[in-house]
Amino acid sequence: MLKIAVLGCGRIGRMHASNIAAHPRARLATVYDIHAPSAEDVAETHGISAAENPESVFSSDDVDAVLIATVTPTHADYIEAAVAAGKPVLCEKPIDLSLARVNACAERVVGKGVPIQIGFNRRFDPSHRAAHDAAAAGEIGDLQQVIITSRDPGMPPRSYCAESGGLFRDMVIHDFDLARFMLGEEPVEVFAIGGRLIDPALMDELDDHDTSMVIMRTASGKQCHINTSRLSTYGYDQRVELLGTDGMVQSLNRKPNEMRRFSANHVEAAEPYLEFFIERYREAFDAEIDAFVDSIENNRQVQVDFEDGRKALVLAEAALKSVAEGRVVRVDEIG
Amino acid sequence: MLKIAVLGCGRIGRMHASNIAAHPRARLATVYDIHAPSAEDVAETHGISAAENPESVFSSDDVDAVLIATVTPTHADYIEAAVAAGKPVLCEKPIDLSLARVNACAERVVGKGVPIQIGFNRRFDPSHRAAHDAAAAGEIGDLQQVIITSRDPGMPPRSYCAESGGLFRDMVIHDFDLARFMLGEEPVEVFAIGGRLIDPALMDELDDHDTSMVIMRTASGKQCHINTSRLSTYGYDQRVELLGTDGMVQSLNRKPNEMRRFSANHVEAAEPYLEFFIERYREAFDAEIDAFVDSIENNRQVQVDFEDGRKALVLAEAALKSVAEGRVVRVDEIG
Amino acid sequence: MLKIAVLGCGRIGRMHASNIAAHPRARLATVYDIHAPSAEDVAETHGISAAENPESVFSSDDVDAVLIATVTPTHADYIEAAVAAGKPVLCEKPIDLSLARVNACAERVVGKGVPIQIGFNRRFDPSHRAAHDAAAAGEIGDLQQVIITSRDPGMPPRSYCAESGGLFRDMVIHDFDLARFMLGEEPVEVFAIGGRLIDPALMDELDDHDTSMVIMRTASGKQCHINTSRLSTYGYDQRVELLGTDGMVQSLNRKPNEMRRFSANHVEAAEPYLEFFIERYREAFDAEIDAFVDSIENNRQVQVDFEDGRKALVLAEAALKSVAEGRVVRVDEIG
Amino acid sequence: MLKIAVLGCGRIGRMHASNIAAHPRARLATVYDIHAPSAEDVAETHGISAAENPESVFSSDDVDAVLIATVTPTHADYIEAAVAAGKPVLCEKPIDLSLARVNACAERVVGKGVPIQIGFNRRFDPSHRAAHDAAAAGEIGDLQQVIITSRDPGMPPRSYCAESGGLFRDMVIHDFDLARFMLGEEPVEVFAIGGRLIDPALMDELDDHDTSMVIMRTASGKQCHINTSRLSTYGYDQRVELLGTDGMVQSLNRKPNEMRRFSANHVEAAEPYLEFFIERYREAFDAEIDAFVDSIENNRQVQVDFEDGRKALVLAEAALKSVAEGRVVRVDEIG
């Protein structure tokens, strides 16, 4: 049984804590949150004790590994602390909003023999994974185009937006990672546009975007498109399409159930898609924990490593530069 | 060019006239209707002359074949007249509402070397046909179950119901024919129930049914279910499902277009199915004419013959007897 | 926390034990199996002790309620013992294969103030439930037809078949219950046919059927069709269709994922449906436990009671009589 | 009856000739082709005479309007001749491969009181049109993103490619027009990439592309993506997606029939999409002729005019410049 501690007891930390507790080969060791009552509440639910500070977690003999789900500015520090303590880490994305900080962190933590997995959960979604694997198995011949649709159900609160790092670093970063996963090779050029079509006043104030389109190209010429919106009234919309010389695969949305309605107004109508990531990616979050446990148990390479986390951020930075300068940005201009 | 005359210029006769006119190897020879202005109107549209009476059609050297789309009580007489004149016939279903009349007609017209095709158009629907052909090609292994769903968009007018011969002889007769086509062997037992769920007052008055369910079994044990309703608010609903030892095929409904709607109320919602048979079975009606022309041109057996028309009526009679007596009826009890 | 004991540690008992352990307001109290190592294995997984005999379970103060997942011949005895001990019961279907035994049991356990829930899990499937609720809310107007498709992925082993009570009592019984749930009123007439199309030799030997079709009618004239097969190569096939005067709802199958394939051979192809009930009805089994806990906690009527279990068996008996005698059987002929 | 002459009797000219002949309010006046036997063949099919030269068509009193389906280099000349003769024109796309030639033509033909319709047939596809109309009716709120997928079934022959003007002017031009139609306002910026992923040798030789992605933005900030490929093994792939503040609509592909296959390999598998534009856009071609006839009959503005033809070419030129220079191109840089 792998004893895993969870740092951060917000919505996503609580979910991870439950998933760890339910995992057949893992145990929830302890939990920590800067807001102690949150940690105590989660601890009580699982019949364990909360930790009083992060340091006690990193130094504890009863902790084999650490899951970091605290606020973004703490991620890099905690990764460094965990690696220093020799404890494998599963860290929520993004590593940091500053590429410089990520690069500095990389020097301290990469190649030290301590596994670091980054929380790009979408790679573990059964439908996305099945599409990836079909393409990887050669079913569609040579991959030519990847098209990713990624739309959140609604604008996050103002406070979240202000701290998020903006649409590209906060939200599209998931799609940049998914694009790399699906393409099977690195994008070398990025072009992006950002729009303010949902809440222009707020986006103007924060110098952020709520709607975007991206085109990327790899060295071998593969093409990738990402479209993103902060508003999808019909539910969380998460699709991937892979076109190859021999065919196509699509990863489509999961519905809350398989009921269909037929009336004088419409036929074959399903209920709106699941609301958001906790519901839609439930199986992916489970599989992510399982992969982490499996990597440590079997001394296997993690499936999404620190460098994956860094490269997704590099693509986000390239996109932001492209938006700012209205031109294609070569990825090697960024890092 | 095969010169075909059309008897009967109601809705379905007009449609057949246009289909014949548009057929590359057929020509609309003349048209007749007991209501002369109807025939003249159709004739004018196609730049031809209307016939003044049916006799002149049967005796005309300018008529190679006859399509009968008049009212049901005239069908058997006209088939007999056409066969006597040596002219191939395509006759709308049913041959007659009386099995005795059909049997008498059979003695006069079957085996006389004159092709007689009955208008069971559904056999020519591309989707139903593809399902049939897939099963016939062995794709689903041994056929075990056939399930037919058949629902009209709404109750026909009182006058139609009164003359129709009732739900089983008028509407389900199409499904009995389709069942025989799909099963590939004869049903030997029929069980049926009839309901009065849509317009009970009218159905009571006419001693008719507006809703029904049927189970049939063939000698080898294949099972078939038909469900029928005179009311489908979401459009004309026409489906067939074939289950075999190696898989299943379904023939589903055609939509008016491939637009889908996504909103806070529903996702993937399509517009209601096509209204009724003229629209839904447009391609089938075309293919039916084409098969008729092909049979005559190439001296090939018609695809739906007089005996098919008779056997569908036998099944309708068996179903009515089953409803009346609340028991399984052996088909050989009827004829 | 409700302390629930599980009797029977076969495949389904193990699943229930895990679901109870994962339930936020329930606790797995103990487990028992006639084969002690099975119980010990499950107990160890959950860090609890196995019971040495059923009696100790029924008499234990640490057991608030009992889930019965033992072999069918023990069900009625254990229900009686649990009720005698005042412990609420969730019992897998069927109550017993003998209607006489069920009736005798009913006299001892019904109306004694002890909740008894029968394991007709399908009522809790999110898609079936959504269809039921939409109809119950009046969305489709007056319900007219219910069509249930129910096909197992493959023939069970000979040993299972021999003990099962036959297709109607073992498998279609689920569909009889679902039909009652969907119809919202009692069937009064049953007609059924049974076929031997998959393994005729075995079915002949056991005097059983592997394929069936049923038609039922309620007092108010609602019509219901059930088709069943022991063999569905494309996965477990579980569908319900409800037709009403204002529209239709369907509850369709869940796919393992939402990946679709497009090639020169086909488009929009999904992977075969989930293999069997443990996977397909996973959410339903969860919800079933949750409903049981909720009933006890809040002193609410169970959603599927003893009489539901009895009535489904009555319909199975009516179907068997109909198959044997080739006629419609009135439900009040049975019980 | 509007008497329409068809210039050009290749595959598409023949189809238009048949559609005109079948139109209830139009008549096929005459046909011309530089290869006389082709024209004579079509003329014979329709029982009319072929014209010996284009001049005789333009000057004939028996010709009310002209449909131009000859090779592209003749389009502008014939449009000019038709307008000089006062005959309404329906001209296949593109007007010309040279924007300068198109501009010169515009000066001679636009605003002369003679209707000129350009053959952007996709606007008339029932599914695309339904999506457009739903958005125009406000169903999805404010339009934010348009995503167009456009994939031909296979590479055209070398000879076609060499004369075509290249991927953007020949094929994507349809999508540029569709984008303008769907956006409801003009794109002001274009970014495009072109790839050589299907037949790199041929594409290198012709300095052409076989795969592309485009992003466009309108003045108000609406975003549009187009992805294109010359190779789609699963049939002609033509989709449009419109995202708005209140919902989404999609226009999806039409299947050859509604048969679905279920086996141990896959479920819900449909047959590959229709092969190419003649089949897929059959209804659109019909509706295009109908709209042309209607415009002339009722003195109504044509639905796709010369300026629409010119603007689609401007966008193609902007895309080509973007590909060449690796930057966003403002549409007003082109014309």
Side-chain angles (χ1 to χ4, degrees), chain A residues 256-271:
Chain A
N257 62 54
E258 301 304 324
M259 201 245 294
R260 301 289 181 277
R261 290 180 158 100
F262 299 70
S263 75
N265 298 318
H266 50 242
V267 296
E268 304 177 14
E271 296 198 61

Side-chain angles (χ1 to χ4, degrees), chain A residues 233-234 255 262-273, chain B residues 233-234 255 262-273:
Chain A
T233 58
Y234 53 93
K255 298 170 192 90
F262 299 70
S263 75
N265 298 318
H266 50 242
V267 296
E268 304 177 14
E271 296 198 61
Y273 296 130
Chain B
T233 58
Y234 54 93
K255 299 171 191 92
F262 300 70
S263 75
N265 297 318
H266 50 242
V267 297
E268 305 177 13
E271 297 199 61
Y273 297 129

